[in-house]
Amino acid sequence: EKAEPILNKPASDRRLYQATTLPNGLKVVNVQDPTAVTAAYSISVQVGSYDDPPESPGLAHFVEHLIFLGSKRYPDPSGYDNFVSSAGGSMNAYTASEATVFYTEVQEDSVEEGLDRFKDMLTDPLFNSDFVEKEVHAVDSEHQKNIQDPDERIYSTIVGLANPLSPVSRFHTGNLETLHNSMKGNWTESIRAWFSDHYCPPRMALATYGSEALSAQLQRVQRLFSELRGGSRKCQGPRRSWREPTAYTPDRLGKFVEVVGSSPEPQLVLSFFLPDLRKDFKSQPLAYLKYLLEFGGERGLLASLR
């Protein structure tokens, strides 16, 4: 598979880019930055909170946590964390509505081992039952912390106003009740089945970054990820659209809601239901609106509100 250079970039951007798709369906982007002093890599998976089973809210977020806790070739639950720390790096992940993203930064001489570990944990996570129970409590602690967060309260209220038939309306973080009590029978098997339905190369995009030549970055990816397999037949199929059912029908709009705050500072939040703007990603219309609303100069909205 030949990589195509990405040439459409700002004139001031001195970095080099290329993109390709491996035979197994994995999309790859390599970035060469001659000024980079570390290397980084990230994988975005087309699965998010909207893919939670209705009976197990928060499962996508929970699986994001579990993936770090040991894999087939690297079974130590603290192994990846310890490796990244020893490589002078950092790592994190997040679960969004329709995507889950894992990313890591390490010293350049550690990128080979880092990517190998990264690949293994995303294809053969152990989902060890001994750690599943412990991690449920970690997710529950995250939820308990969010309860007192003013922004989370407002977000949860807006979500609660959505059409109950839409995944937008569901509880996405997960807690002890939704994860522990909803999982009947063998936890590990239920989690493995869900993972197989949503994690596979055609639904993944990998990006690598560093001072190394683009060709060297791609060769490493091909060597480590070309044999990447996995995923059920469902995962190999087309990605589901969440456009329907409509989350905010006309009868659910035009509402004024008062939220009991957890801090003394008052807030005013205006939420607008918008169409799908992905087709307009090049022009970024929301960036223009954001600039107008946040403009801090004379006669701007911020100046008037102050």
Side-chain angles (χ1 to χ4, degrees):
E1 59 284 351
K2 182 180 178 181
E4 295 293 331
I6 300 174
L7 303 176
N8 187 9
K9 61 179 183 175
S12 60
D13 188 352
R14 302 304 179 191
R15 290 169 290 196
L16 300 177
Y17 303 83
Q18 67 180 14
T20 190
T21 300
L22 301 187
N24 58 9
L26 177 70
K27 292 174 282 293
V28 178
V29 173
N30 306 120
V31 183
Q32 181 186 3
D33 184 350
T35 66
V37 295
T38 58
Y41 45 88
S42 173
I43 269 194
S44 175
V45 188
Q46 289 181 333
V47 59
S49 297
Y50 289 175
D51 295 282
D52 287 343
E55 67 278 7
S56 301
L59 183 59
H61 179 217
F62 185 41
V63 168
E64 172 223 305
H65 279 239
L66 294 176
I67 280 173
F68 284 106
L69 301 180
S71 61
K72 186 176 181 180
R73 291 173 48 238
Y74 300 98
D76 182 356
S78 301
Y80 193 71
D81 190 23
N82 292 338
F83 160 75
V84 171
S85 296
S86 67
S90 61
M91 67 175 192
N92 214 330
Y94 64 86
T95 303
S97 300
E98 299 182 66
T100 301
V101 179
F102 303 83
Y103 51 97
T104 301
E105 180 180 8
V106 294
Q107 297 300 314
E108 288 206 325
D109 59 0
S110 299
V111 70
E112 176 87 19
E113 181 180 348
L115 275 172
D116 190 46
R117 287 176 173 270
F118 202 57
K119 176 199 70 173
D120 207 53
M121 75 181 195
L122 286 166
T123 53
D124 289 304
L126 292 181
F127 297 134
N128 190 317
S129 59
D130 293 338
F131 302 106
V132 168
E133 180 84 23
K134 178 181 177 182
E135 204 60 29
V136 167
H137 290 276
V139 171
D140 187 66
S141 295
E142 185 176 335
H143 166 64
Q144 298 301 327
K145 172 182 63 68
N146 290 342
I147 290 175
Q148 296 303 317
D149 185 283
D151 294 333
E152 286 290 340
R153 287 190 174 207
I154 293 169
Y155 172 75
S156 296
T157 301
I158 294 173
V159 162
L161 294 173
N163 179 356
L165 298 178
S166 167
V168 173
S169 68
R170 299 176 193 158
F171 172 48
H172 298 144
T173 306
N175 61 16
L176 190 61
E177 179 181 355
T178 66
L179 295 171
H180 188 286
N181 298 342
S182 67
M183 293 253 182
K184 307 299 182 183
N186 190 318
W187 275 38
T188 302
E189 290 308 312
S190 298
I191 293 170
R192 283 188 187 283
W194 185 90
F195 178 84
S196 178
D197 283 345
H198 296 93
Y199 279 74
C200 59
R203 294 197 183 184
M204 295 179 177
L206 169 68
T208 66
Y209 167 90
S211 63
E212 199 172 28
L214 293 178
S215 57
Q217 292 187 43
L218 180 57
Q219 286 172 10
R220 178 182 294 111
V221 169
Q222 290 171 327
R223 184 172 67 255
L224 294 174
F225 288 86
S226 286
E227 296 183 2
L228 193 64
R229 295 291 182 267
S232 65
R233 180 174 298 179
K234 175 182 176 181
C235 192
Q236 308 296 327
R239 176 80 165 108
R240 175 180 173 177
S241 168
W242 300 107
R243 188 172 300 173
E244 299 292 339
T246 303
Y248 293 98
T249 49
D251 60 306
R252 294 181 177 276
L253 300 174
K255 306 290 185 182
F256 182 84
V257 181
E258 292 189 38
V259 180
V260 177
S262 57
S263 62
E265 296 84 9
Q267 293 188 55
L268 173 65
V269 176
L270 303 177
S271 183
F272 299 91
F273 177 62
L274 298 173
D276 188 349
L277 297 174
R278 284 178 295 182
K279 66 181 185 305
D280 302 310
F281 76 94
K282 289 186 178 181
S283 59
Q284 294 291 307
L286 291 184
Y288 288 93
L289 289 174
K290 184 175 186 292
Y291 176 80
L292 291 173
L293 293 172
E294 294 184 352
F295 176 65
E298 186 178 353
R299 300 176 65 184
L301 178 61
L302 279 181
S304 301
L305 292 175
R306 286 170 179 159

